[in-house]
Amino acid sequence: MKRILSLDGGGSWALIQILTLKEKYGNISGHEILRDYDIVIANSGGSIVLTALVANWTPDECLKLFDNEALRTSIFSKNKLRKKYFPTGITNLFNVGPKYSTSKKYLTFQKIFKILKNKNLIDIPAYVGKKELKIIICTFDSLNKRAKFFKSYSTSKNEGVEFESMDIIKAIHGSSNAPVNYFDFPAKVKANTTNKFYYLWDGALGGFNNPIASGIIEAIKLGIPIEELYIVSIGTGHKVPTMDERKNYYKLYSIVKKSRKLNPIKGLKFFFTNVMDLSKTILYEPPDWSNYVSYLFKYKTNTNHKENLKSFIRLSPLIYCDDMKGKTTEFKEFIEKIASLDMDATSESDIKLIRQCFEYWKDGQLYNQPIKSDFDKNHKFQLEIGHPNFKEAMEDWQSALKLKIV
């Protein structure tokens, strides 16, 4: 049995991944956690969690990345007006356009992960204590307009293709570089083995905010039979748009479509609404194609889902706002707040909400994100494939301890 650990992107919401790993492993060292897997693939916030584990931090030490407000705000470091380029200084007035400094983010990573300074991805497996471990970090190559993965190993059989890797801090700098409404410039980094320069954005731009499908493909390229794979995919929360949000969007669409130039204010609002939605599609990926395609790829026509889910674990809270029957006022207020929270949450109250999200999910008051689901005409959630709650997913994950890694 070969184990894959996949860590989604999601900015500050990656706090949920650390809390989930702590729930599973307790407060053991990062290297011990990583040695439990054969392949680890990560994007954005998940790549930062991966790097903290590579630095051998315990989950409690990893939590300091989010509990320390100075660290949070140094990763999401806002640009002063004189540092902004035209016209972002103007569009920011409408909450549209990049707010944070790419260069300051890199300096922060160098500072907090100084133990990994100049540590090439090639060297990470031996450093962790498991030479056969494979590490993959997802980015997006802005110049060539395609996904770019940086790895600790090579699968190329073409002798004319030079293996390309880079320092882990540079790789996560590119991987965590969300565009449009977040960071101002692509991360300019140089690959160690080829000396090629890359201009990188978040790997989610290539469709890999949830990178599990790529992890499975990499396993197959390494010659691992797909039936031997044990998969653990940990997300950072997924919000389902509410019925009211859908109705409001359609209403705005209808007004602008019919009146056009007669309603310039509504038109401007509609334009900015679409810009904001498009800037966040890198996080949404509905209906989470990566998990579902991976599941079909692994099990094909096998419909024994209960048995299949023992070796395919998806863990991520589903923030679903339209099923409030029997819920407390406190829970309803929480849902309203957490549903409006963006990936760049940095305030103490924001982090408190994300922690609360984890606790509600752990207690079964929030659904676990399914591998496949649907909604009826009344927008009522219908689970098709996946663990319905945190507890059942954790129980199947715990059973993996009995499976021998070969």
Side-chain angles (χ1 to χ4, degrees), residues 132-149:
E132 62 272 25
L133 176 65
K134 306 294 188 290
I135 299 288
I136 308 160
I137 294 177
C138 307
T139 72
F140 183 82
D141 177 355
S142 181
L143 288 181
N144 293 303
K145 306 295 185 290
R146 62 182 184 182
K148 177 68 180 178
F149 296 165

Side-chain angles (χ1 to χ4, degrees), residues 10-22 45-46 49 59 62-67 72 235-236 350-356 358:
S12 299
W13 288 71
L15 169 59
I16 285 172
Q17 294 174 334
I18 298 171
L19 293 169
T20 303
L21 289 168
K22 183 178 179 181
V49 173
C62 292
L63 289 174
K64 293 177 183 177
L65 282 169
F66 302 92
D67 290 340
R72 295 196 306 268
T236 56
D350 291 343
I351 298 302
K352 185 178 178 181
L353 276 173
I354 296 173
R355 278 183 170 273
Q356 195 175 4
F358 175 80

Side-chain angles (χ1 to χ4, degrees), residues 218-275:
E218 288 296 315
I220 291 171
K221 287 165 64 178
L222 288 164
I224 303 172
I226 196 166
E227 60 271 13
E228 291 184 13
L229 292 177
Y230 185 95
I231 297 160
V232 179
S233 170
I234 309 179
T236 56
H238 179 74
K239 178 184 175 289
V240 178
T242 66
M243 283 292 284
D244 285 344
E245 287 174 328
R246 295 162 187 256
K247 289 176 182 177
N248 289 338
Y249 182 86
Y250 177 71
K251 183 178 179 180
L252 186 60
Y253 165 85
S254 299
I255 292 172
V256 175
K257 182 75 173 176
K258 291 176 181 178
S259 59
R260 297 183 187 269
K261 295 181 180 180
L262 297 178
N263 276 290
I265 302 300
K266 292 287 186 182
L268 193 64
K269 183 178 180 182
F270 183 68
F271 171 76
F272 283 129
T273 296
N274 280 287
V275 170

Side-chain angles (χ1 to χ4, degrees), residues 59 113 138 142 149 159 165 220 293 325 337 347 353 382 401:
F113 296 125
C138 307
S142 181
F149 296 165
E159 293 182 0
S165 187
I220 291 171
V293 168
K325 187 177 180 180
K337 290 177 182 177
S347 73
L353 276 173
Q382 296 176 315
L401 293 174

Side-chain angles (χ1 to χ4, degrees), residues 302-326:
N302 182 350
T303 57
N304 186 352
H305 302 311
K306 187 174 182 179
E307 189 64 27
N308 294 344
L309 291 173
K310 290 181 180 179
S311 56
F312 196 118
I313 313 297
R314 172 61 176 176
L315 273 158
S316 189
L318 185 72
I319 300 165
Y320 171 53
C321 307
D322 288 333
D323 185 13
M324 294 291 108
K325 187 177 180 180

